[in-house]
Amino acid sequence: ERHWDREAARLIWTALDLAAGGLQAWQAPFQGHRPRVGVMWGEFDLSATRHRARPTAPPPDRPAFMQNAQVSAYVSVGFSFGTPKAPHAGLYAYIWPQPDGLEGRSWGVDGAAWHADAGLVLLPWTALRETADPHHAVVAFGDAVYEAAVETAGWPSDLIGPRCDGWYMSRTPPTPAAADPGDR
């Protein structure tokens, strides 16, 4: 028999739901290759990635699965409950290959900062939860990281389309069409 903490499970679900919704909204306007937000098996984090069709040279000292992931340029934003490099829950982001010039930038949300030692932009969960609109803060964080990719790594700025209500373009239900008398 195993016991579980109902409140801990609720908090975990709340965090995953908030992060997934914000990451989906961030992904929505990108017109390049962008898989859906997904769970990454290595650290059980959520990740949203925007790919660019520009070949890169993966480091040969990395495991094969990492080399495979690094064959082209990408921007990744995600949520993690913590890792050895970043032991606290929150959002992370990085640009591959990592460009110069990421120090001293604004990352769209108070509390977000570049951590050169980890090669990540980190936004602690506590700082995210203190914002007036955490969902919007996730999107603003991702937008700031993509802007950094445009400014420091030469990513095209014209791959961003209009932002609508999220991944499915609108949460407003469609109006039923009137029946056409000719359809009988």
Side-chain angles (χ1 to χ4, degrees):
E1 182 178 330
R2 293 186 184 200
H3 298 280
W4 58 282
D5 182 335
R6 183 182 309 265
E7 181 60 13
R10 187 192 66 76
L11 290 172
I12 289 169
W13 172 253
T14 300
L16 291 172
D17 186 50
L18 170 64
L23 292 172
Q24 287 173 349
W26 175 68
Q27 278 292 60
F30 187 67
Q31 297 175 346
H33 176 62
R34 55 165 174 34
R36 288 189 177 223
V37 173
V39 176
M40 302 282 98
W41 59 270
E43 303 284 343
F44 197 69
D45 57 326
L46 290 178
S47 180
T49 305
R50 293 176 174 181
H51 293 271
R52 182 175 181 199
R54 175 173 280 182
T56 66
D61 61 336
R62 301 278 172 90
F65 75 92
M66 288 182 81
Q67 288 186 33
N68 187 47
Q70 296 174 336
V71 297
S72 66
Y74 63 90
V75 174
S76 186
V77 179
F79 168 78
S80 172
F81 288 107
T83 68
K85 288 185 179 182
H88 302 288
L91 294 177
Y92 65 85
Y94 60 97
I95 302 165
W96 173 257
Q98 183 178 310
D100 293 329
L102 299 178
E103 303 81 16
R105 297 185 64 88
S106 171
W107 297 104
V109 181
D110 288 341
W114 169 248
H115 292 263
D117 57 328
L120 299 169
V121 183
L122 299 175
L123 174 58
W125 183 252
T126 53
L128 177 67
R129 295 296 297 161
E130 291 173 1
T131 65
D133 183 350
H135 176 88
H136 176 74
V138 172
V139 176
F141 178 71
D143 285 348
V145 173
Y146 189 79
E147 182 180 318
V150 169
E151 294 175 4
T152 64
W155 277 63
S157 60
D158 62 350
L159 288 178
I160 304 297
R163 180 164 278 126
C164 297
D165 277 358
W167 188 268
Y168 297 105
M169 296 298 286
S170 178
R171 295 184 182 136
T172 307
T175 306
D180 182 355
D183 288 345
R184 295 185 188 167

